[in-house]
Amino acid sequence: MSERYVLDLREVAETQVAVVGGKGGHLGGLSRIEGIRVPDGFCVTTDAFRRIMAEVPSIDDQLDQLSRVNPDDREAVRTLSARIRRTIEGIAIPGDLRGAITRALGRHGEQAAYAVRSSATAEDLPTASFAGQQDTYLNVVGPTAILQHISRCWASLFTERAVTYRRRGGIDHRTVHMAVVVQRMVFPDAAGILFTADPVTGNRKVATVDAGFGLGEALVSGLVNPDVFTVRHGEIVARTIAAKQRAVHALPDGGTREAAIDARRQEQPALTDAQVVRLVELGRRIEAHFGRPQDIEWCLVDDDFQIVQSRPITTLFPIPESGDQENHVYLSVGHQQMMTDPMKPLGISVWQLTAMAPMHEAGGRLFVDATRRLASPANRAALLDVVGRGDPLIRDALETVLERDDFVPSLPDAGPGGPPARGASAPIETDPAIVTGLIERSRTSIAALERDIRTKTGPALFDFLREAFEEHKRVLTDPLSMQAIMAGMEATWWLNDTLREWLGEKNAADTLTLSAPDNVTSEMGLALLDVADVIRPHPEVVAFLRGVESIEDDAFLDELAKVAGGAEARDAIESYLDRYGMRCVGEIDITRPRWRERPTTLVPVILDNVRNFEPGAAGRRFEQGRQKAREKERDVLSRLRALPDGDRKADEAKRMIDRVRTFIGYREYPKYGIISRYFVYKRALLAEAERLVEAGVLPEQEDIFYLTFQELHDVVRSHQVDDRLIQRRKDAFRSYHALTPPRVLTSDGEAVTGAYRRDDAPADALIGLPVSAGTIEGRARVILDMGEADLEAGDILVTAFTDPSWSPLFVGIAGLVTEVGGLMTHGAVIAREYGLPAVVGVERATRLIRDGQRIRVHGTDGYVEILP
């Protein structure tokens, strides 16, 4: 029996995480790498932990209590976890287990000094490092002390921080077990940490070494600032040598102590340059073995490096696979589409199959490879111009990369590329009939799709969908549609640039586009005001909606019809869902629940509209916007006529005003068409999933969301599925939420953020991009989930991003601040439509602005002030 309780480190394979935990598995793997020295030792396995837990009275009840506690209730977590730790530490270690551990100590030196280290099964994983969540004890001497510290390591699975970390990561306490690593103690001259990739920028070609004298505890605990060396391609490219006044040393009888460092040594480097380079070479060998960048703890003993730990760096954003060794520059699709959350595999693959350009996946997000466009001068200029107008941070990030020597190759111009040059007129007439025709063409195509897909099931459905995807792309790339979109955008740019030059007025187009016709997204917000008008006279309906959290979505509308006035309310909501029910937050991911599938999402917004508006608000809002735009037009034209050559200038401006009002609303329609088609695809795929569930192939319908389109096709054909693949995908998707996608990412893994480089705002202001003119002061409402909106008139919405589904909230707010966005992204367009001062692209806005704070939004100048 005893053999399963203890394994020598050299016997351990890195795949045995379930037996020896993450740290034990990594140390076992490290000990097998040629040229890597790891201190000798052994692992007390998770079987031993389970044996101990079986001895703990009422442990199941205590774990049940712990799993029910709100992770934010720190006092309750602290009390319960402390009770569990005390119970575990109080259990006497059974004789056979004690014997196995003491025999292992005898093999390695019973009276030697050891490090006793926790090694949980959810630790040092590719998706979660759990660094510092459990305990390590250094310089433990003698079997009695070692057994006592092994008990402490088992108990440390339930430290307050470990319990909270698991709860926030959605990890069940019962699924995590604790092994313990017992290793011969190393008494180093110097110690520290090596990152085989830059942990700040993500650059995989750069390694950083932190080094100090004595044990590494001095660095980890923050007792001293380390020396920091930056190494690239085998050369030290930067160094900072710190004044290291203290060190931690081991005591002869066990334990550690702080000691002052001799004044003459304090500013000497802890490592020589040659040692730094040699250490990084060892790190690259370890990285190659584990297949991903590593965070490595090392010790230097008599000019010999020993590795005491290696774990994956889990905070790095993954790099899209290119299949070659060339340099690549990737642009985030999510920042263009206002959806920077991770997408599920089916969502990613359907977007890839229906997109106009090839797209690469990394970290659950999509990227386009801009390298070839950047490589030729003409294409580069056009790309920088367009992205710079939309999002200056992306332009600045790209320019940062282009300034580097030879990262992007230079290629000759291979003919015309990129969008039309700024200010060029699209070759179509300013004719509203063009927009009407394009909308009708889209509706006809979607109606044909809905009709033809009804009879398709099984493999025939997938053949049909592949053809539908081609039609989808044909509609999306219709030259006339593209010209109409560009005509509206170019007219906006022309008006803003030219009226600033002629009249000294910023962002004049913002007022001139108020209540533009044919904007399906702004109509969607106003239409929900009409739904509120139907509901407002019925107090029973309002009361029902206030208690709706307890009602399942599929029963919501039927239950609503049972209360007084409910049938009328249900019909109004049904009518709204018929037109807009395919929309939802994050709608570019086909797997996201649509409003038609989860109509209760709309309830908080409907209730806000009932409370904050008078009947007829939608019509009044639209008409007020139209009147303001007309007044602005009259004002601009009269001022222009007063200028030299004024009649010509006024005529040109009038042509552009007519053009922007004709085409800018259509800017929103293609996305509406895409999402309408997506919902048709989704319903067909979910019907197929239901058949797979009935056949016992899948446990749940929504498991298909973790398969790509092709993989799902294969499952439908074969009636076989890899359950482990689905579970791995679910785990990976959960981990992707912790990653922040960069606007620009290089094939070296560097996340390039970009900067605004402006000095025209107050020193403590939050800088962003001005997208809708005006200045407004009010209460900030930091809302990350539209379903939790609770807005009062005059509130300013602060959120990470807004796609079209957020527009119903826009009718009830006074201003908008987002972390993501550009001049022509949906939130900006709708903010201008509704006349809301708006600043987008404000980095970390939802963390820097607290819910309820008063703020001032400078929508004309592009910054936000937090008021006292």
Side-chain angles (χ1 to χ4, degrees):
M1 282 291 287
S2 63
E3 284 73 25
R4 67 192 177 101
Y5 291 141
V6 172
L7 285 174
D8 196 277
L9 272 182
R10 281 173 295 214
E11 300 174 67
V12 170
E14 63 208 62
T15 53
Q16 291 179 279
V17 171
V19 178
V20 296
K23 188 179 287 131
H26 267 74
L27 287 167
L30 282 166
S31 63
R32 287 174 156 72
I33 305 171
E34 191 176 340
I36 302 298
R37 292 199 56 194
V38 177
D40 287 342
F42 59 91
C43 246
V44 181
T45 67
T46 53
D47 283 340
F49 173 76
R50 275 190 283 267
R51 171 82 184 273
I52 289 295
M53 291 296 277
E55 307 266 334
V56 178
S58 70
I59 190 64
D60 285 336
D61 290 345
Q62 292 185 58
L63 290 177
D64 283 343
Q65 280 182 274
L66 198 58
S67 64
R68 287 195 297 268
V69 168
N70 183 331
D72 293 326
D73 185 349
R74 296 189 59 181
E75 189 54 44
V77 171
R78 186 179 298 124
T79 303
L80 285 168
S81 56
R83 188 187 309 155
I84 292 173
R85 287 198 307 279
R86 280 195 305 275
T87 306
I88 293 170
E89 287 184 41
I91 296 292
I93 298 177
D96 57 339
L97 175 50
R98 176 186 291 267
I101 295 167
T102 52
R103 281 194 296 277
L105 284 171
R107 288 194 295 274
H108 289 278
E110 193 171 279
Q111 291 306 314
Y114 287 87
V116 182
R117 315 171 70 194
S118 305
S119 179
T121 51
E123 180 179 88
D124 295 352
L125 305 178
T127 56
S129 76
F130 286 75
Q133 297 307 309
Q134 282 92 35
D135 291 348
T136 286
Y137 302 96
L138 299 178
N139 202 31
V140 184
V141 179
T144 304
I146 287 167
L147 287 164
Q148 182 183 23
H149 285 85
I150 289 170
S151 285
R152 287 183 182 169
C153 283
W154 287 329
S156 76
L157 190 63
F158 298 98
T159 61
E160 182 187 345
R161 61 183 182 274
V163 166
T164 304
Y165 192 101
R166 286 196 296 272
R167 282 295 303 277
R168 294 218 164 112
I171 296 168
D172 184 346
H173 301 303
R174 295 171 199 277
T175 63
V176 185
H177 300 108
M178 180 68 83
V180 181
V181 174
V182 181
Q183 265 180 301
R184 284 292 293 261
M185 189 67 193
V186 175
F187 302 99
D189 306 312
I193 298 163
L194 158 64
F195 293 100
T196 64
D198 187 318
V200 177
T201 68
N203 194 325
R204 283 17 174 219
K205 297 285 176 68
V206 171
T208 64
V209 175
D210 290 8
F213 294 120
L215 291 167
E217 287 300 290
L219 270 58
V220 174
S221 64
L223 183 65
V224 297
N225 290 325
D227 297 338
V228 181
F229 301 89
T230 304
V231 179
R232 186 183 178 100
H233 300 311
E235 289 183 22
I236 296 174
V237 294
R239 63 164 58 73
T240 305
I241 306 304
K244 300 169 289 296
Q245 297 174 344
R246 316 280 299 165
V248 174
H249 294 291
L251 293 167
D253 297 327
T256 61
R257 68 175 173 86
E258 287 179 28
I261 295 173
D262 186 283
R264 288 166 297 181
R265 288 188 68 210
Q266 286 179 7
E267 298 197 26
Q268 287 181 3
L271 295 177
T272 66
D273 285 4
Q275 287 170 335
V276 169
V277 171
R278 179 153 50 97
L279 176 60
V280 170
E281 286 171 1
L282 294 175
R284 292 285 177 224
R285 205 177 296 175
I286 294 167
E287 178 184 70
H289 176 84
F290 288 119
R292 53 173 53 86
Q294 297 288 302
D295 162 0
I296 297 165
E297 293 179 24
W298 55 268
C299 294
L300 181 71
V301 185
D302 300 329
D303 197 35
D304 187 21
F305 285 105
Q306 297 214 29
I307 305 302
V308 295
Q309 188 162 337
S310 183
R311 61 167 73 93
I313 308 174
T314 58
T315 54
L316 299 178
F317 200 87
I319 306 171
E321 289 184 17
S322 64
D324 61 38
Q325 297 301 307
E326 304 296 318
N327 289 345
H328 294 270
V329 180
Y330 299 101
L331 303 186
S332 163
V333 173
H335 285 81
Q336 301 297 312
Q337 291 294 335
M338 300 295 278
M339 212 301 263
T340 53
D341 288 348
M343 297 168 68
K344 293 183 178 129
L346 186 63
I348 286 168
S349 65
V350 170
W351 190 265
Q352 287 172 318
L353 288 164
T354 53
M356 292 187 288
M359 295 196 175
H360 307 265
E361 184 274 336
R365 279 77 167 191
L366 287 165
F367 295 85
V368 291
D369 188 344
T371 318
R372 291 197 68 80
R373 292 280 299 278
L374 292 168
S376 80
N379 286 348
R380 180 190 310 148
L383 178 65
L384 289 174
D385 186 56
V386 170
V387 300
R389 286 183 161 276
D391 187 336
L393 291 176
I394 293 181
R395 176 176 185 139
D396 187 74
L398 289 175
E399 287 175 336
T400 301
V401 174
L402 288 166
E403 284 165 10
R404 294 184 185 151
D405 294 342
D406 303 327
F407 187 84
V408 176
S410 228
L411 299 174
D413 291 328
R422 178 162 64 85
S425 284
I428 55 172
E429 294 298 313
T430 302
D431 181 359
I434 292 172
V435 171
T436 307
L438 285 167
I439 291 172
E440 189 50 43
R441 203 184 303 181
S442 175
R443 283 179 182 155
T444 302
S445 173
I446 292 164
L449 171 67
E450 288 177 322
R451 182 187 66 237
D452 296 343
I453 205 169
R454 281 181 197 139
T455 57
K456 306 295 189 292
T457 60
L461 170 66
F462 289 82
D463 295 337
F464 172 83
L465 282 171
R466 286 201 180 270
E467 290 178 21
F469 294 165
E470 293 310 308
E471 165 68 3
H472 180 123
K473 287 193 277 192
R474 191 196 63 70
V475 170
L476 209 55
T477 55
D478 179 341
L480 188 61
S481 177
M482 301 295 287
Q483 287 172 322
I485 292 168
M486 289 309 298
M489 289 168 68
E490 285 162 2
T492 303
W493 297 338
W494 188 96
L495 286 165
N496 279 337
D497 289 353
T498 310
L499 295 181
R500 186 167 188 167
E501 181 188 332
W502 288 347
L503 297 175
E505 183 168 343
K506 293 179 181 177
N507 303 350
D510 292 0
T511 308
L512 293 166
T513 53
L514 289 171
S515 298
D518 299 311
N519 189 317
V520 69
T521 308
S522 64
E523 289 166 5
M524 179 170 71
L526 296 174
L528 207 58
L529 287 175
D530 291 335
V531 172
D533 285 355
V534 174
I535 288 167
R536 194 177 289 106
H538 302 291
E540 294 92 339
V541 172
V542 173
F544 172 86
L545 293 178
R546 284 190 182 128
V548 93
E549 292 88 354
S550 59
I551 297 173
E552 293 294 322
D553 278 281
D554 52 7
F556 162 60
L557 292 168
D558 291 338
E559 293 296 317
L560 172 61
K562 295 174 185 174
V563 304
E568 195 182 346
R570 180 196 59 192
D571 291 347
I573 294 172
E574 284 277 15
S575 176
Y576 185 86
L577 292 172
D578 287 343
R579 181 129 167 80
Y580 304 110
M582 77 295 290
R583 310 220 83 150
C584 67
V585 172
E587 61 192 9
I588 68 168
D589 181 352
I590 197 173
T591 73
R592 288 285 191 109
R594 312 283 134 178
W595 290 344
R596 169 56 81 183
E597 297 169 312
R598 196 172 286 173
T600 53
T601 305
L602 295 171
V603 168
V605 193
I606 292 171
L607 288 171
D608 284 347
N609 288 349
V610 167
R611 184 175 67 245
N612 295 334
F613 291 92
E614 296 296 321
R620 283 196 303 278
R621 289 282 298 257
F622 189 77
E623 190 52 40
Q624 283 164 3
R626 195 158 55 180
Q627 291 296 341
K628 279 186 187 172
R630 281 183 185 149
E631 288 164 16
K632 185 68 175 177
E633 178 180 331
R634 283 195 294 269
D635 171 60
V636 163
L637 296 180
S638 69
R639 286 158 61 202
L640 287 174
R641 288 194 184 97
L643 298 175
D645 198 17
D647 286 345
R648 178 190 64 80
K649 287 175 177 170
D651 288 346
E652 275 192 60
K654 172 62 175 163
R655 275 200 304 277
M656 285 299 180
I657 291 168
D658 290 346
R659 199 163 179 76
V660 81
R661 289 196 67 79
T662 298
F663 292 116
I664 200 65
Y666 178 71
R667 163 77 180 79
E668 292 293 296
Y669 202 87
K671 181 76 170 281
Y672 175 79
I674 291 169
I675 302 307
S676 298
R677 300 178 79 88
Y678 264 28
F679 195 33
V680 179
Y681 307 153
K682 182 181 185 180
R683 282 184 293 194
L685 291 171
L686 281 174
E688 207 56 48
E690 187 56 37
R691 285 187 276 276
L692 291 171
V693 170
E694 287 167 4
V697 178
L698 287 175
E700 294 178 16
Q701 247 187 324
E702 293 191 357
D703 283 349
I704 67 166
F705 295 163
Y706 297 94
L707 299 170
T708 66
F709 183 80
Q710 183 58 52
E711 288 166 348
L712 178 54
H713 189 180
D714 294 340
V715 170
V716 167
R717 217 170 21 221
S718 68
H719 267 217
Q720 291 183 317
V721 69
D722 183 347
D723 295 329
R724 287 169 305 177
L725 173 68
I726 289 175
Q727 189 54 52
R728 281 200 306 275
R729 295 265 177 83
K730 287 179 178 179
D731 292 343
F733 177 72
R734 193 182 300 120
S735 75
Y736 293 152
H737 283 278
L739 300 174
T740 301
R743 284 175 165 81
V744 173
L745 179 67
T746 74
S747 49
D748 285 352
E750 184 176 5
V752 191
T753 52
Y756 284 108
R757 306 193 192 283
R758 285 169 41 190
D759 55 8
D760 58 347
D764 55 353
L766 307 181
I767 305 295
L769 181 65
V771 295
S772 186
T775 301
I776 192 72
E777 201 174 291
R779 179 179 69 154
R781 293 310 318 271
V782 180
I783 296 173
L784 300 178
D785 179 350
M786 183 179 150
E788 294 174 4
D790 180 15
L791 296 162
E792 300 286 348
D795 283 348
I796 297 168
L797 174 63
V798 180
T799 190
F801 58 80
T802 61
D803 59 11
S805 71
W806 286 74
S807 67
L809 287 184
F810 284 23
V811 298
I813 58 176
L816 173 70
V817 179
T818 69
E819 295 178 341
V820 175
L823 192 63
M824 284 297 167
T825 47
H826 303 276
V829 172
I830 304 307
R832 291 193 290 272
E833 275 275 320
Y834 288 164
L836 298 174
V839 180
V840 303
V842 179
E843 293 279 271
R844 299 171 56 237
T846 59
R847 279 166 282 183
L848 296 172
I849 300 170
R850 291 197 312 276
D851 187 51
Q853 275 185 318
R854 286 196 68 76
I855 61 172
R856 187 180 297 127
V857 177
H858 295 263
T860 307
D861 296 310
Y863 64 89
V864 180
E865 291 179 284
I866 298 174
L867 302 176

